[in-house]
Amino acid sequence: MTTVIVHYQEITLKGRNRSWFINMLARNVRLALADLDVVEVRSTVGRLELTLASDDHWEEVRTRLSRLPGIDHFAKAVHVPADVDAMAAAVIAGLRGRTPLPFRIKVHRADKRFPIKSPELERLIGQQVVDAVGWPVELSHPKFVVRIDVLMTEAYVFFDREPGAGGLPVGSGGKAVCLLSGGIDSPVAAWRLIRRGVRVPLVHFHSYPILNDVSQEKARELAATLTKYQLKTRLYLVPIGAFQQQVVVTVPPELRVIIYRRMMVRLAGRIALRIRADALITGEVVGQVASQTLENIRAIDDAATLPILRPLIGTDKDVITKEAIRLGTYATSIIPDQDCCTLFTPRYPATRASMESVLRAEAALDIEALVVEAMSGIVIEDRRFPGTGAETIENDKMRRLLAQETQP
Ligand code: ATP
Ligand code: MG
């Protein structure tokens, strides 16, 4: 048996909802490790304790836990009776075979009723360890720290502490729909909210069959990657080629990108209302491309019925890129595709779209009919982690519902 202790931090601040957050984290941990021989996940004194049937899957357990929002840090632990000799023996066993480093022991009495105070425990255990393995003690700047958590009758000895992703457990923060292009930014934007405990369904707009289906494949791959973090993802693939063909006939070139974006926001908003999500998310950044100006953002917001969250709005590209690499979305994002928004649009879109000109251009379009048309061609896929592939929801009823006009 292997014991892993998972520490959360921010959850402890949540007062009366505390146990609700902890149960959610425990449930997510169970789901994330479902196929890795986990015997038990239980909540004890301010932490989760995982029991694994063996050490065999540790590398994979570690990888998955480090991705899961809501974890501050975690570590494999040796579980011993709260007895000085037993604790010292566990430390000695754990240090054997490692290269000696200036070290210290840090004791934390999780239960203050334990009769020996922490500094005294550190001294008593440390003495035995030094006698047995000869590592030099270094209290102020240790190169290696052995941590011991002492409860009333038992103790946990930790050697290697792994950082978690921070944030809050997914499911604790409601639901927001992310507009997922095939680019670098939007998957990172989705992750920023996932990390805050928000469940994030994804909507991708494509112009297949006018353009090839590469962008859809990229969206699917990105959805699969994000599922490793939120464990469950619904992806909506929405065809807007017919709409774009209409736009090309009636809308001046420099306004097309704005009109496309406003349509995307309407469609995503309709999906969001149906599934009771409270916000939309985009990967927009002020000034990153010509179309992302404050004026244009205003013109896009004007078409929305829900708040649009833009978690990257003030973030530089290099920071976003690093985050995408860490997330594992970057390699997919840079695959060349035919972006549906550059279809029939000029290289230099309007940077200051006046609301008046936008509304005038839109008046020539039968927006509601085009919304219904896009919604009736929607494809909905569900992904789970762990799991393989996607489950397509061939649900005509869902399509019909989404095509119906929805009032906020
Ligand atoms: P990204 O890297 O996310 O594609 P970008 O810098 O290329 O962003 P734009 O192409 O201007 O920016 O898109 C701005 C935002 O609009 C995207 O971050 C995304 O949220 C949304 N968006 C753009 N195209 C699509 C699409 N085809 N499907 C869904 N959302 C889209
Ligand atoms: Mg893009």
Side-chain angles (χ1 to χ4, degrees):
M1 296 280 192
T2 296
T3 303
V4 181
I5 300 292
V6 172
H7 286 264
Y8 32 85
Q9 187 164 43
E10 202 169 340
I11 298 178
T12 52
L13 304 174
K14 296 287 170 186
R16 284 192 302 152
N17 288 333
R18 204 166 162 268
S19 61
W20 181 73
F21 277 88
I22 293 166
N23 288 339
M24 201 153 287
L25 180 62
R27 189 199 61 185
N28 291 351
V29 167
R30 273 187 210 104
L31 283 175
L33 307 181
D35 54 343
L36 299 180
D37 285 340
V38 177
V39 180
E40 196 188 15
V41 176
R42 67 187 183 104
S43 163
T44 67
V45 286
R47 70 198 72 185
L48 296 181
E49 180 174 338
L50 281 54
T51 311
L52 311 178
S54 73
D55 208 28
D56 299 352
H57 299 295
W58 169 242
E59 285 305 315
E60 185 61 19
V61 168
R62 179 164 72 175
T63 305
R64 293 189 193 179
L65 287 179
S66 67
R67 282 194 297 242
L68 219 53
I71 296 177
D72 186 67
H73 61 271
F74 62 96
K76 214 155 54 160
V78 184
H79 192 173
V80 293
D83 160 275
V84 172
D85 292 343
M87 292 188 267
V91 177
I92 291 164
L95 295 189
R96 282 232 153 77
R98 294 181 191 242
T99 313
L101 290 169
F103 89 113
R104 73 160 294 168
I105 292 172
K106 259 195 187 152
V107 169
H108 171 70
R109 277 189 312 159
D111 190 328
K112 301 293 182 218
R113 288 171 303 175
F114 191 80
I116 310 174
K117 293 222 167 88
S118 304
E120 178 67 3
L121 274 174
E122 287 170 0
R123 218 180 43 75
L124 292 170
I125 299 167
Q127 194 55 57
Q128 290 199 29
V129 173
V130 171
D131 289 348
V133 298
W135 284 34
V137 173
E138 169 56 62
L139 296 181
S140 349
H141 302 288
K143 290 273 183 293
F144 192 87
V145 179
V146 180
R147 291 188 165 77
I148 308 181
D149 279 4
V150 184
L151 313 183
M152 202 50 205
T153 56
E154 41 184 2
Y156 296 90
V157 182
F158 308 95
F159 298 94
D160 303 290
R161 180 158 134 165
E162 308 282 342
L168 294 166
V170 174
S172 67
K175 214 189 281 177
V177 170
C178 182
L179 285 75
L180 183 83
S181 65
I184 294 170
D185 305 316
S186 39
V188 175
W191 154 246
R192 290 275 183 100
L193 271 295
I194 290 171
R195 195 178 154 274
R196 294 305 303 167
V198 177
R199 160 111 24 234
V200 181
L202 309 169
V203 182
H204 175 70
F205 300 98
H206 64 84
S207 313
Y208 184 80
I210 303 170
L211 299 180
N212 65 29
D213 63 358
V214 174
S215 84
Q216 287 185 76
E217 281 313 309
K218 287 174 66 176
R220 288 183 165 112
E221 248 178 63
L222 293 170
T225 304
L226 290 170
T227 307
K228 293 180 184 172
Y229 299 88
Q230 65 172 343
L231 308 179
K232 202 169 82 181
T233 305
R234 181 160 285 189
L235 170 67
Y236 298 83
L237 298 157
V238 186
I240 56 165
F243 165 73
Q244 290 182 308
Q245 284 177 314
Q246 287 261 323
V247 169
V248 172
V249 179
T250 60
V251 175
E254 70 279 6
L255 288 179
R256 285 176 194 162
V257 172
I258 291 293
I259 303 284
Y260 292 161
R261 288 282 186 277
R262 283 169 59 90
M263 185 63 161
M264 289 183 182
V265 161
R266 280 193 196 95
L267 292 164
R270 174 123 3 152
I271 292 170
L273 285 177
R274 271 285 161 213
I275 62 174
R276 297 184 196 288
D278 288 311
L280 305 181
I281 305 167
T282 73
E284 287 161 304
V285 180
V286 169
Q288 198 197 73
V289 290
S291 61
Q292 295 178 12
T293 61
L294 288 182
E295 287 89 345
N296 290 354
I297 284 174
R298 181 178 167 201
I300 293 166
D301 274 7
D302 172 78
T305 49
L306 288 174
I308 301 178
L309 309 179
R310 298 179 170 93
L312 307 180
I313 196 72
T315 313
D316 291 346
K317 192 74 187 184
D318 57 335
V319 174
I320 300 173
T321 300
K322 280 193 194 116
E323 219 165 302
I325 292 169
R326 215 174 331 117
L327 264 182
T329 53
Y330 182 76
T332 309
S333 292
I334 59 170
I335 297 169
D337 66 358
Q338 298 174 308
D339 179 357
C340 72
C341 280
T342 51
L343 185 62
F344 320 120
T345 57
R347 275 179 65 121
Y348 302 103
T351 52
R352 302 178 59 114
S354 82
M355 275 316 300
E356 203 190 324
S357 56
V358 167
L359 295 177
R360 208 176 322 117
E362 252 173 26
L365 297 161
D366 185 348
I367 295 287
E368 186 50 34
L370 290 162
V371 165
V372 169
E373 181 169 358
M375 286 301 187
S376 43
I378 206 164
V379 171
I380 305 169
E381 296 178 355
D382 278 343
R383 286 179 172 73
R384 279 176 188 282
F385 183 87
T388 47
E391 184 190 338
T392 305
I393 311 220
E394 296 283 6
N395 193 333
D396 288 339
K397 184 166 157 236
M398 184 101 75
R399 283 185 194 164
R400 264 201 318 278
L401 280 175
L402 285 169
Q404 280 166 17
E405 186 149 19
T406 325
Q407 295 307 324

